[in-house]
Amino acid sequence: MEHTAMIDAKIENIVQVNWIITLKNDSKLIGKIGFYRIQPVYFRAEIGFKLLLSLVLAESIQKL
């Protein structure tokens, strides 16, 4: 619950906004993408993403 509260606080304070990345036919989390270092005054933000490489690689190897 603490993690969810932290995310909600960052969205409310316009610090960062994140979305999760899943595989198309699976709801397993493989990463996240979002806006970071948001500067509303200048209408700017950085876009970043993080992939859980172990899950992505495991899925790719299984498909081979």
Side-chain angles (χ1 to χ4, degrees):
M1 280 304 218
E2 290 179 28
H3 185 69
T4 304
M6 178 188 67
I7 291 170
D8 288 342
K10 288 182 176 186
I11 291 171
E12 286 178 20
N13 295 322
I14 314 174
V15 175
Q16 67 184 35
V17 179
N18 293 303
W19 295 272
I20 62 168
I21 302 171
T22 63
L23 298 173
K24 189 172 187 174
N25 296 319
D26 189 355
S27 60
K28 186 187 304 180
L29 173 103
I30 62 166
K32 68 179 186 172
I33 188 168
F35 296 117
Y36 303 92
R37 297 183 183 165
I38 298 172
Q39 300 175 355
V41 175
Y42 302 109
F43 301 99
R44 292 178 182 249
E46 291 182 22
I47 299 172
F49 67 93
K50 294 180 184 178
L51 294 177
L52 302 173
L53 289 179
S54 59
L55 291 174
V56 174
L57 291 174
E59 292 288 331
S60 298
I61 291 170
Q62 287 178 355
K63 292 180 181 179
L64 293 176

